[in-house]
Amino acid sequence: MSPTYGPVAFKASCPDCRARFELDAAALRLAIGGSRRTTFYSFTCPECGAAVRKPAGERIVELLTGGGVSTLRSI
């Protein structure tokens, strides 16, 4: 019998209010573009409501997609 795991929680922080928190996959969006500059993830800070956008390297993309984060691919 294989182990079952609960929902994935991603640790994040807000550059505006400096709050640290955990978000589930539904709270994050991942955009994969043609370059490093156009590949990023975004979320709304649950503390201050700021729209946050952070760069996503290969490892972050792998973790977010593996955790069920909604992904938008652009050309």
Side-chain angles (χ1 to χ4, degrees):
M1 187 169 159
S2 63
T4 51
Y5 300 101
V8 177
F10 296 96
K11 291 183 181 192
S13 62
C14 177
D16 288 0
C17 72
R18 301 195 184 275
R20 295 184 173 276
F21 39 82
E22 290 188 351
L23 298 170
D24 63 17
L28 294 156
R29 295 288 176 264
L30 175 63
I32 300 176
S35 72
R36 200 175 271 185
R37 202 167 33 139
T38 58
T39 300
F40 61 91
Y41 66 99
S42 61
F43 58 90
T44 300
C45 175
E47 298 294 323
C48 72
V52 179
R53 177 175 159 164
K54 295 187 174 187
E58 280 184 42
R59 181 72 179 134
I60 297 293
V61 168
E62 188 179 304
L63 290 170
L64 294 177
T65 53
V69 172
S70 178
T71 304
L72 170 68
R73 292 189 184 272
S74 59
I75 298 173

